[in-house]
């Protein structure tokens, strides 16, 4: 997308060329399959160039090989050995972005820190609720009426990093962990590629330090008061204003005073995560300059090819 600055320290994206991605998976790899389909060789967004697994039996490895993608098993002999080999392979293959997809090991700070902002995970719950294992059983036992999935930046905790994108599905009468799992997986197979596209466009990044200096103290305080689930909307709106040459309005937009550009950025930021007829209708009432930019980015993310 034109105009999203790649400099300034907020995000290394957009790269200005197709991205080289690696996927780390420990098991059956249905999310890997969705990523392989979304980002095949020659895709203008980027391609999966490497699949790594700590489990030599992982079906994920087969899936990659059957599509001609290099797949390497690094049997677990401890974190230090695995991470050293994985980091070397990522460097060797010139990888820009690492995607965890059913990868069942916790990565150490030595791995996470240099990749922070370029290392994503998908988790089958509406984080920060239900981190960890056996999510669907726990969601059912708690009597939740809604669940979903979260793509997040990986930090040093387990399922704790800043949220990039979430999707929701209902919990229905008669649901079992199995029915819930397949409903959430269906969602995940669309959510993960979309989250990657948002990242590659420069529309998603972890909240930067020193927000007050970038947006003004009042806007920074407003942002800090948001819940982890609300924050990505504001970051997307900010990135859109940057892309549209209206960054000076970002602080005001956070406070609801960004005029039609602010309104357009927030409507678009919301629609990028989830379609909504009322918001589409509202967008259609905005001045043409705002509307055309909004529509261009929505089209880009929704009809990716
Ligand atoms: C997915 O539900 C993902 O959210 C979680 O592990 C599961 C992996 O499934 N991290 P698959 O291997 O991609 O089919």
């Amino acid at each position: 997308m034109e105009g999203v600055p790649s400099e300034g320290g907020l995000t290394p994206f957009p790269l200005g060329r197709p991205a080289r991605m690696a996927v780390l998976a420990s098991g059956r790899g249905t999310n890997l399959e969705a990523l392989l389909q979304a980002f095949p060789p020659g895709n203008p967004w980027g391609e999966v160039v490497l699949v790594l697994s700590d489990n030599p039996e992982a079906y994920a490895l087969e899936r990659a090989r059957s599509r001609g993608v290099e797949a390497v098993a690094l049997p677990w002999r401890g974190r230090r050995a695995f991470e050293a080999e994985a980091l070397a392979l990522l460097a060797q293959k010139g990888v820009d972005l690492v995607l965890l997809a059913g990868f069942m090991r916790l990565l150490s700070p030595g791995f996470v820190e240099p990749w922070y902002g370029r290392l994503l995970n998908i988790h089958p719950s509406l984080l920060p609720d239900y981190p960890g294992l056996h999510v669907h059983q726990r969601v059912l036992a708690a009597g939740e009426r809604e669940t979903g999935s979260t793509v997040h930046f990986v930090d040093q905790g387990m399922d704790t990093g800043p949220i990039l994108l979430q999707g929701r599905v209902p919990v229905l009468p008669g649901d079992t962990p199995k029915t819930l799992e397949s409903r959430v997986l269906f969602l995940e197979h669309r959510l993960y590629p979309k989250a990657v596209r948002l990242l590659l466009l420069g529309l998603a990044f972890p909240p930067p330090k020193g927000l007050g200096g970038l947006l003004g103290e009042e806007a920074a305080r407003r942002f800090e008061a948001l819940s982890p689930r609300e924050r990505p909307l504001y970051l997307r709106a900010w990135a859109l204003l940057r892309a549209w040459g209206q960054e000076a309005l970002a602080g005001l937009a956070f406070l609801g005073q960004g005029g039609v550009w602010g309104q357009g950025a927030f409507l678009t930021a919301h629609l990028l995560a989830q379609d909504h007829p009322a918001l589409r209708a509202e967008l259609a009432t905005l001045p043409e300059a705002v509307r055309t930019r909004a529509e261009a980015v929505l089209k880009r993310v929704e009809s990716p090819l």
Side-chain angles (χ1 to χ4, degrees):
M1 184 166 70
E2 251 176 71
V4 180
S6 56
E7 278 138 14
L10 293 184
T11 163
F13 303 105
L15 295 169
R17 57 169 169 79
R20 296 174 64 77
M21 303 177 225
V23 180
L24 270 61
S26 302
R28 68 192 161 185
T30 66
N31 277 288
L32 165 67
E33 187 81 42
L35 292 165
L36 290 167
Q37 264 178 41
F39 306 109
N43 184 279
W45 291 88
E47 58 186 274
V48 178
V49 295
L50 179 66
V51 172
L52 295 179
S53 184
D54 57 311
N55 168 18
E57 308 295 319
Y59 187 57
L61 292 167
E62 302 266 319
R63 291 185 194 265
R65 288 183 189 127
S66 74
R67 286 176 179 270
V69 173
E70 185 175 346
V72 182
L74 300 173
W76 194 254
R77 287 186 297 268
R79 193 171 324 278
R80 188 186 287 264
F82 177 89
E83 290 185 353
E85 284 176 84
L87 285 170
L89 281 167
L90 295 175
Q92 189 187 318
K93 294 287 281 183
V95 168
D96 304 299
L97 173 60
V98 179
L99 306 169
L100 308 185
F103 182 68
M104 301 306 284
R105 308 279 183 178
L106 208 57
L107 295 165
S108 78
F111 192 103
V112 168
E113 270 165 23
W115 281 93
Y116 188 63
R118 302 177 298 151
L119 174 59
L120 306 183
N121 180 42
I122 189 161
H123 180 78
S125 79
L126 293 169
L127 291 173
D129 294 343
Y130 304 99
L133 297 173
H134 310 299
V135 169
H136 306 304
Q137 287 92 318
R138 287 155 57 209
V139 163
L140 285 170
E144 301 287 358
R145 292 290 171 263
E146 193 177 47
T147 184
S149 176
T150 304
V151 177
H152 65 95
F153 294 98
V154 176
D155 68 4
Q156 291 162 25
M158 201 206 325
D159 307 322
T160 52
I163 293 169
L164 195 169
L165 189 65
Q166 292 188 311
R168 294 165 181 269
V169 290
V171 179
L172 296 171
D175 267 335
T176 63
K178 204 124 200 75
T179 60
L180 215 47
E181 182 191 22
S182 53
R183 193 173 305 137
V184 170
L185 274 175
F186 185 92
L187 168 73
E188 291 191 318
H189 298 161
R190 283 142 194 86
L191 192 73
Y192 213 170
K194 187 182 191 182
V196 170
R197 289 196 290 273
L198 290 175
L199 182 78
L200 294 177
L201 283 175
L203 295 180
F205 47 90
K209 293 201 177 77
L211 217 55
L214 293 163
L215 292 176
E217 293 306 331
E218 209 185 334
R221 272 197 301 278
R222 168 85 184 118
F223 182 83
E224 301 300 339
L226 298 170
S227 76
R229 288 185 191 167
E230 294 170 305
R231 291 179 173 193
L233 174 77
Y234 280 66
L235 296 175
R236 278 197 302 281
W238 178 12
L240 286 166
L241 288 168
R242 280 158 62 94
W244 297 344
Q246 306 292 334
E247 191 177 6
L249 290 174
L252 284 171
F254 273 32
L255 302 168
Q257 297 158 15
V260 288
W261 286 105
Q263 200 188 340
F266 271 98
L267 287 170
T268 310
H270 198 291
L271 287 165
L272 281 168
Q274 199 185 1
D275 207 352
H276 200 299
L279 300 188
R280 291 255 172 202
E282 216 174 311
L283 195 59
T285 67
L286 293 182
E288 194 183 341
V290 182
R291 215 176 57 223
T292 48
R293 283 177 174 80
E295 280 161 6
V297 66
L298 287 168
K299 194 158 162 228
R300 187 91 199 271
V301 174
E302 284 155 12
S303 31
L305 288 178

